[in-house]
Amino acid sequence: TEIARRGIGKVVLLERDTAVGGIPRHCGHSPFGMREFRRILSGTAYAARLEAAALAAGVRILVRHSVLCCRDGLVTAATPDGLRTFRARRIVLATGARETSRAGRLVSGDRPIGVINTGALQNYVHQQHLAPFRRPVIVGTELVSMSAILTCRSGGIRPAAIIEEAARPTVRFPFHLLPHLAGIPVFYGTRIVDINGRPRVEAVTVETGTARQEIVCDGIIFTGRFTPESSLARLSGITIDAGSGGPSVDVYGRTSDPHIFAVGNLLRPIETAGWCWAEAKNIAAGVVADLKGELPTAEDRLSVETGPGIKLVVPQMLDHASVPRALSSLQLRLLAPAKGRLAMSDGTRELWSRPIDSRPERRILIPLGDLKIGSSVHQLTISVTDQERRA
């Protein structure tokens, strides 16, 4: 929408689903839209507004177009009418993120009906108006786990319990109070060791320390543990960052292919819709600047590496140019809860540091304006030093 508003040629949006709107389209609950529209909306209403804004800006939306590959300025998509190829001056990947499935979590047991993730739950309840179960167990305490609780309540579903492997909730205060307000028991330091039931879920066996117990339920919702949906980027030959799982990008959102940009939760798991919206508007300005020949070349970039204690950093490439950056801060996530000092070095000396006390999945920002990086620096490493391990 932002690129179209800036009057840069034709903008086409390709969507593999039957409607645009992504995950918010399936969220019948609030809050969405405060950053974008200055009002509280349900996810469904929010997605509809975004679509209307895109159409009003002149964006051409093509649904049921599943993109197979992006190379050399060509976008190949499978459509209802067969394969179709688009020639583009610039390509923006916005394929988002997905939750880790049961298989990805290596959870053993029977294979009954009733084991789903949050996205499937929202589709059942808000799109198909169905209740896939009545007393599920929710796995995880991320923000999306709280969304699962709200979706359950709107569908007349009462979760039997929430279990979390960590000793504390992942979501920030006050959101972690929602299960208690809803009367849902929460078990920390607990993991599923077995799923029981045929043909439907009947119970789960959980383990807390060395103690095991069985929780009677008729479904399981695996929430969170997001990973970028980067399969298209991989197929397109784009360099993938091992820490984030998404494409490596510079401060303008450019990938290793200078004609392809990446935005949203494809960059890292995971941010809110409002954060991704604001970030993508800034990257859109970078796309427009690139089309005008105003961005520095890829040869001028320096890499940012992750050291001890750091799970990921975005962007992974910086430069010394004076052009306004689309990504104005380095975004970090930790591997484990840690208290210590966050430091940045060029391999020989420390360039920047500050105290840190945070947990995994919590956003940590380093404003790029705070960094004084000489033109002779070609690589930076960020790490947690003087670290005290936290429970």
Side-chain angles (χ1 to χ4, degrees):
T1 302
E2 183 66 17
I3 294 172
R5 282 175 176 165
R6 289 172 179 257
I8 301 298
K10 298 178 181 179
V11 180
V12 180
L13 175 64
L14 304 181
E15 167 60 55
R16 68 183 178 185
D17 206 343
T18 56
V20 295
I23 293 300
R25 182 170 68 92
H26 301 275
C27 297
H29 60 75
S30 59
F32 288 87
M34 281 298 295
R35 190 192 299 253
E36 304 88 326
F37 302 111
R38 300 292 187 269
R39 62 184 61 193
I40 296 176
L41 301 168
S42 70
T44 306
Y46 168 75
R49 281 199 174 218
L50 291 178
E51 180 182 10
L55 292 172
V59 177
R60 184 184 180 194
I61 298 176
L62 300 176
V63 297
R64 299 173 67 191
H65 280 57
S66 186
V67 178
L68 306 176
C69 187
C70 304
R71 283 184 185 271
D72 303 321
L74 296 178
V75 180
T76 304
T79 79
D81 300 318
L83 287 181
R84 185 174 178 185
T85 300
F86 300 81
R87 181 172 293 280
R89 296 171 65 196
R90 294 296 182 272
I91 300 165
V92 179
L93 301 182
T95 50
R98 54 182 169 80
E99 293 173 288
T100 299
S101 65
R102 170 189 178 169
R105 299 170 194 245
L106 303 178
V107 176
S108 62
D110 297 329
R111 295 290 185 266
I113 299 170
V115 181
I116 62 177
N117 61 19
T118 315
L121 171 71
Q122 292 169 336
N123 182 275
Y124 275 124
V125 174
H126 297 306
Q127 300 295 316
Q128 302 182 49
H129 307 291
L130 298 173
F133 32 56
R134 291 298 176 185
R135 293 284 287 169
V137 166
I138 297 176
V139 181
T141 56
E142 297 181 39
L143 189 59
V144 70
S145 313
M146 306 303 111
S147 176
I149 293 174
L150 296 177
T151 300
C152 284
R153 287 175 63 85
S154 65
I157 300 167
R158 298 187 60 187
I162 293 179
I163 64 172
E164 167 62 55
E165 289 192 24
R168 299 179 180 181
T170 302
V171 72
R172 291 181 181 271
F173 176 86
F175 299 105
H176 69 76
L177 297 177
L178 180 59
H180 304 285
L181 295 174
I184 305 170
V186 183
F187 300 90
Y188 293 110
T190 302
R191 65 185 185 93
I192 290 182
V193 294
D194 209 357
I195 297 176
N196 311 310
R198 293 183 183 180
R200 299 193 59 86
V201 174
E202 297 174 1
V204 293
T205 302
V206 300
E207 184 177 75
T208 306
T210 58
R212 292 192 175 190
Q213 65 173 308
E214 188 173 85
I215 300 175
V216 176
C217 60
D218 62 354
I220 302 169
I221 309 169
F222 285 105
T223 69
R225 290 197 187 178
F226 284 96
T227 183
E229 183 55 89
S230 55
S231 55
L232 175 58
R234 293 176 188 274
L235 290 171
S236 302
I238 293 172
T239 300
I240 302 297
D241 178 63
S244 68
S248 294
V249 296
D250 64 11
V251 292
Y252 313 104
R254 286 184 301 187
T255 67
S256 58
D257 182 328
H259 293 90
I260 301 179
F261 290 68
V263 300
N265 282 321
L266 174 61
L267 297 181
R268 99 262 79 194
I270 190 168
E271 292 289 354
T272 63
W275 176 279
C276 292
W277 176 87
E279 186 179 74
K281 282 190 69 175
N282 292 333
I283 291 178
V287 174
V288 173
D290 192 33
L291 287 167
K292 294 180 178 179
E294 297 173 353
L295 294 190
T297 62
E299 288 71 24
D300 298 328
R301 299 187 293 201
L302 60 136
S303 64
V304 183
E305 306 292 337
T306 55
I310 306 297
K311 176 183 178 181
L312 64 89
V313 59
V314 174
Q316 296 84 6
M317 292 171 281
L318 306 180
D319 59 44
H320 303 285
S322 58
V323 179
R325 298 170 169 122
L327 301 172
S328 59
S329 298
L330 289 176
Q331 305 169 32
L332 313 177
R333 298 289 195 281
L334 299 182
L335 284 169
K339 182 177 182 179
R341 198 160 54 92
L342 186 64
M344 181 181 298
S345 72
D346 62 0
T348 58
R349 60 194 176 95
E350 188 176 279
L351 302 177
W352 176 94
S353 69
R354 83 171 191 209
I356 187 175
D357 185 355
S358 189
R359 304 181 205 168
E361 306 307 327
R362 300 287 175 85
R363 179 198 310 142
I364 301 172
L365 300 179
I366 302 177
L368 292 175
D370 293 351
L371 305 180
K372 306 301 180 183
I373 305 170
S375 58
S376 61
V377 176
H378 299 288
Q379 180 175 321
L380 296 171
T381 301
I382 301 176
S383 57
V384 179
T385 63
D386 304 328
Q387 184 178 167
E388 301 173 14
R389 299 291 294 183
R390 292 181 55 192

